[in-house]
Amino acid sequence: MSAPDTGVPRPRVLVGYDGSPSAVNAIEAAATLLPSATASILNLWEPPFTSPELRHRVMERASNAEALGRLLETEGRAEAERLAGNGVKLARAAGWDAEPLVKRTFGGDGYQFARTAEELDADLMVVGSRGMSGMRASMGSVSELVVHVSPVPVLVVPHPLTTAEWAAAVSGPVIVGTDGSDHAQRALTAATTLFPHRKRLLLAVEEQANSPAPTAVEGTELVTVRCSGRPGRPRATASTLADEAARRGAAVLVVGSRGRGGARDTLVGHVARALLHCAHRPVLVVPTRAA
């Protein structure tokens, strides 16, 4: 069932879907935040991808190596198409207009997602995050790579979400982290475009006493909070943003992928990365190239 026409242009959304609980969770949360959208549900498959059980059965049927290759190719693509089709059913049930998209890849899933977003002229990418922490988190993930290379805003949805976080997704405000930079302004512009009917709040983290405060924006409340950890540390800044977003029941936390120039530019990039591991609610990362 499609969402009713509200007169607001529907965003074009590209969703990475692999059939995992995290991917299912991402579609449901994104559709809650964006009730009306046109979506492509993308499954990337890498030959000879099939489930281990199916691969074993295929090997029993193959008479030689060449036949095995053909069978794995056929079954792998069919399995990818089935997964994408299941994702489409979920998206349509949530109110989106959706279509399946299957692409063959040979590694570098994050880059393939980014290329596909450019090909489709997508307004937004949606990926799930398994909420990895500790050593596994430091090794990176597909969602983190997508954020790093994407030319369009990326909504990363953690899994799982609590009851309170689901309730916030339904009616909570959009909180935009700001440091007064042009990149923060791009983040606010993206938030305004994607979530036009949500209350928006600018949130600045004061890392040092008497540091210059960002300028308020007409129609958007500006709140400044003191850094709860060691000033200048990306993790401390990210944790402060995440904690304040949770306290205010934010539906989504929006940040730019970069901040002021020089060393600060690197710092804010690290803040966006740290947020993916400490913000227990959807995070929208807006790249420098986003208008």
Side-chain angles (χ1 to χ4, degrees):
M1 179 178 178
S2 297
D5 188 357
T6 61
V8 178
R10 294 185 177 190
R12 174 77 174 174
V13 180
L14 176 65
V15 182
Y17 185 79
D18 62 1
S20 66
S22 177
V24 172
N25 182 75
I27 288 179
E28 184 177 356
T32 301
L33 294 168
L34 297 163
S36 178
T38 300
S40 293
I41 310 301
L42 174 64
N43 181 271
L44 297 177
W45 71 286
E46 182 176 355
F49 169 75
T50 56
S51 62
E53 295 81 8
L54 185 58
R55 191 179 305 120
H56 179 72
R57 293 182 62 193
V58 167
M59 291 177 67
E60 291 179 339
R61 289 165 48 193
S63 58
N64 53 49
E66 183 178 351
L68 175 61
R70 288 196 302 268
L71 284 170
L72 287 173
E73 178 87 12
T74 299
E75 295 294 344
R77 175 170 288 278
E79 192 167 8
E81 290 174 348
R82 179 183 60 81
L83 284 172
N86 288 341
V88 166
K89 292 176 184 176
L90 290 171
R92 289 176 177 170
W96 281 358
D97 289 333
E99 61 182 7
L101 181 60
V102 171
K103 287 205 169 190
R104 178 173 172 166
T105 184
F106 295 93
D109 287 357
Y111 294 102
Q112 183 65 66
F113 278 131
R115 284 193 295 269
T116 305
E118 287 186 309
E119 292 169 4
L120 297 178
D121 194 23
D123 300 303
L124 175 70
M125 291 179 65
V126 175
V127 292
S129 169
R130 290 173 176 80
M132 293 188 300
S133 59
M135 181 59 69
R136 291 183 64 199
S138 68
M139 295 170 64
S141 63
V142 171
S143 59
E144 196 170 295
L145 180 58
V146 169
V147 166
H148 183 67
V149 302
S150 175
V152 303
V154 180
L155 181 69
V156 181
V157 181
H159 176 262
L161 296 174
T162 66
T163 302
E165 289 153 2
W166 278 115
V170 172
S171 58
V174 173
I175 290 185
V176 183
T178 183
D179 61 359
S181 67
D182 291 341
H183 306 286
Q185 179 57 50
R186 290 190 184 94
L188 176 60
T189 299
T192 303
T193 300
L194 290 169
F195 313 110
H197 302 302
R198 296 269 185 162
K199 177 183 176 181
R200 290 176 295 280
L201 183 147
L202 281 171
L203 180 60
V205 176
E206 185 180 53
E207 296 181 349
Q208 295 179 354
N210 302 319
S211 58
T215 305
V217 177
E218 184 178 355
T220 304
E221 182 183 359
L222 172 63
V223 174
T224 300
V225 295
R226 292 295 301 274
C227 185
S228 60
R230 182 175 176 180
R233 290 292 184 93
R235 179 75 185 192
T237 301
S239 294
T240 303
L241 288 170
D243 290 346
E244 189 66 15
R247 191 179 75 81
R248 292 177 178 271
V252 59
L253 181 55
V254 185
V255 291
S257 61
R258 294 290 183 270
R260 298 188 181 97
R264 178 64 175 170
D265 191 65
T266 302
L267 172 61
V268 176
H270 288 164
V271 168
R273 181 176 184 270
L275 273 174
L276 301 181
H277 300 290
C278 70
H280 301 297
R281 62 198 60 242
V283 174
L284 178 69
V285 182
V286 180
T288 300
R289 286 171 283 179

